[in-house]
Amino acid sequence: MKSHLLFALLLLTLTLAAQDREGNVYLSGNTGLEYSKLGSKDASIYGYPTNLLQRFAGIRAHSFRSGYFLSNRFLLGARVDYINPTADPTYRYDYEGALRVKPFLRYYFLDHKSAPLSFFGELGFSTLGLGNATRFETDFHLGLGAELVVGPGVLGTANLNYDANADGVNYTNLVVGLNALTGQLQGAPTVASVRKGTFSSHGPYGRIAYGRNQSGINLTANFSLALTPRIGYFLLDGLMVEAAIDLLHNQYRVERDRANFNQGDLSLTDTELGVLLHYYPLRQGKVLPYVNAGWGYLELRQKVEGINGRFDETVSSPVWQAGVGALYFLSSQLALDLALNYNTGNASFKDGTPFVDGIQQRQFRGAVGLRFYLPAR
């Protein structure tokens, strides 16, 4: 596990060290590392859910698409995912760390230096794994995308990909978000962007994916929607209000021979809404500490329909959150965000019935990632 975590940290460090475009690094806006711990015993009612609204606990690092510019038009990169969970519905029976790397080559049809809008194509092959991941898989993907320069070193990106997986379902997915072109940060003014009227955001905004595999009468299909915008606005110098939305919806369809009890539909909808206030006691410098506090609402609905019957339950919880953090500004429009947060809430069924144990669930989360700014003019 330690070697896998060290690899993920080394990747993030090397990525952030780049200073120029050609010969240096392109950084995915969702690049980050997080650790989460649940503070109370798991609840279980008919096996659902296993913890407070199936919150994740453990360590994970991720980068959707980061890479190294071989030239102004060729980018050699990889998608990287590391996960070592202690509680996660997706990895419920598999708690050993797994690192997966998906390499790709990207070609830009237009040069960023000649136009603010450019288009690219991608080709990738294989998935490399360490730890509990398969060592080598013959996956491949094709992709097209568009990027718009929204500020020095900041790009708005839409990426459409077809991922053919050797093991599992093949997916077509669209991802929208912000990314960093670190070579353009050199020479950019490093001025803290915490003035009144400034907007702030995290990198990923959303993803839509559809996967389908069919062999004869056997069908497996999955529709997935993830909307994750986090938009902040500085009401006053040093005081930001941030609205966060996390909407995750998965719709699964399985058709098999009628003798197979797994036939049916499964729908999972995970909704989280929140409002946070961030206060920055310092207004100048490359490193700015902050404190935050806020309130949110979580809701998880699980619906199953199959030959064995129907199950439909909704669990919800209010959430109170407080935390501390620090920003390290790479430029006036991009900063590393180190955050430590604590949240707590009481889960209940939608009709008001509490969990049997009635235990208040707590979660501690530490994370480092990217935060983007659109300074006031």
Side-chain angles (χ1 to χ4, degrees):
M1 170 186 164
K2 290 183 178 179
S3 62
H4 303 158
L5 180 57
L6 179 62
F7 181 89
L9 287 170
L10 180 61
L11 173 71
L12 181 62
T13 302
L14 291 176
T15 299
L16 293 173
Q19 295 295 326
D20 209 345
R21 189 177 198 278
E22 182 177 354
N24 284 291
V25 170
Y26 173 98
L27 187 60
S28 173
N30 81 324
T31 301
L33 172 69
E34 69 173 278
Y35 168 77
S36 180
K37 181 179 180 180
L38 301 177
S40 63
K41 295 181 180 179
D42 291 348
S44 180
I45 297 181
Y46 312 115
Y48 160 77
T50 56
N51 58 59
L52 173 62
L53 300 174
Q54 300 194 19
R55 300 301 96 184
F56 171 84
I59 301 172
R60 58 184 172 189
H62 42 78
S63 181
F64 175 68
R65 292 281 192 270
S66 290
Y68 179 88
F69 273 102
L70 302 175
S71 70
N72 282 335
R73 296 193 179 221
F74 280 101
L75 174 74
L76 179 64
R79 174 175 178 173
V80 179
D81 291 288
Y82 173 81
I83 186 165
N84 194 322
T86 56
D88 186 343
T90 306
Y91 297 85
R92 188 172 300 165
Y93 306 110
D94 184 4
Y95 291 160
E96 183 182 346
L99 172 67
R100 293 178 175 86
V101 180
K102 298 177 180 287
F104 70 92
L105 181 66
R106 177 184 293 181
Y107 175 74
Y108 285 84
F109 303 111
L110 296 175
D111 195 323
H112 278 301
K113 294 182 178 180
S114 62
L117 178 66
S118 61
F119 302 90
F120 59 81
E122 288 182 355
L123 174 64
F125 175 75
S126 77
T127 297
L128 309 176
L130 290 174
N132 200 44
T134 303
R135 296 297 183 266
F136 178 80
E137 298 182 40
T138 56
D139 304 336
F140 76 88
H141 88 262
L142 299 172
L144 291 173
E147 285 187 338
L148 178 67
V149 177
V150 297
V154 181
L155 304 170
T157 307
N159 195 325
L160 179 66
N161 288 282
Y162 176 73
D163 296 314
N165 299 309
D167 182 19
V169 179
N170 300 330
Y171 282 91
T172 300
N173 60 84
L174 173 66
V175 178
V176 178
L178 296 177
N179 301 299
L181 189 59
T182 58
Q184 293 189 358
L185 299 179
Q186 187 175 13
T190 307
V191 179
S193 304
V194 295
R195 293 186 298 157
K196 178 181 178 180
T198 299
F199 285 93
S200 178
S201 175
H202 287 281
Y205 289 148
R207 173 180 177 268
I208 299 176
Y210 178 72
R212 180 185 178 93
N213 272 3
Q214 186 167 9
S215 177
I217 63 173
N218 296 325
L219 169 68
T220 301
N222 171 221
F223 171 76
S224 177
L225 172 66
L227 299 177
T228 56
R230 288 171 172 79
I231 306 297
Y233 180 77
F234 281 84
L235 301 173
L236 302 170
D237 290 354
L239 180 63
M240 182 181 75
V241 59
E242 182 179 36
I245 299 174
D246 280 301
L247 173 61
L248 307 176
H249 175 76
N250 280 283
Q251 183 77 41
Y252 300 92
R253 175 66 180 170
V254 178
E255 295 181 3
R256 298 286 187 271
D257 184 285
R258 289 189 178 276
N260 190 318
F261 70 94
N262 288 324
Q263 180 172 339
D265 292 303
L266 168 63
S267 174
L268 292 170
T269 304
D270 190 342
T271 305
E272 181 173 353
L273 307 174
V275 177
L276 277 172
L277 284 177
H278 297 253
Y279 177 68
Y280 301 82
L282 303 179
R283 314 293 162 76
Q284 295 181 348
K286 293 189 68 171
V287 179
L288 298 186
Y290 64 84
V291 295
N292 63 38
W295 179 88
Y297 173 79
L298 305 179
E299 182 177 290
L300 176 64
R301 183 181 183 185
Q302 178 172 292
K303 182 179 179 181
V304 180
E305 292 184 2
I307 60 176
N308 287 334
R310 184 174 184 271
F311 175 84
D312 190 350
E313 292 286 359
T314 301
V315 180
S316 64
S317 174
V319 175
W320 292 266
Q321 178 176 313
V324 297
L327 297 174
Y328 177 78
F329 281 88
L330 303 173
S331 74
S332 61
Q333 295 186 292
L334 181 65
L336 281 179
D337 188 355
L338 173 63
L340 301 174
N341 292 309
Y342 173 85
N343 61 65
T344 181
N346 284 310
S348 63
F349 287 110
K350 193 68 172 181
D351 62 4
T353 305
F355 282 135
V356 172
D357 57 13
I359 296 177
Q360 186 179 51
Q361 185 110 28
R362 301 175 299 277
Q363 184 181 45
F364 169 82
R365 180 176 180 268
V368 58
L370 298 178
R371 182 176 282 274
F372 296 86
Y373 291 87
L374 182 61
R377 298 183 183 278

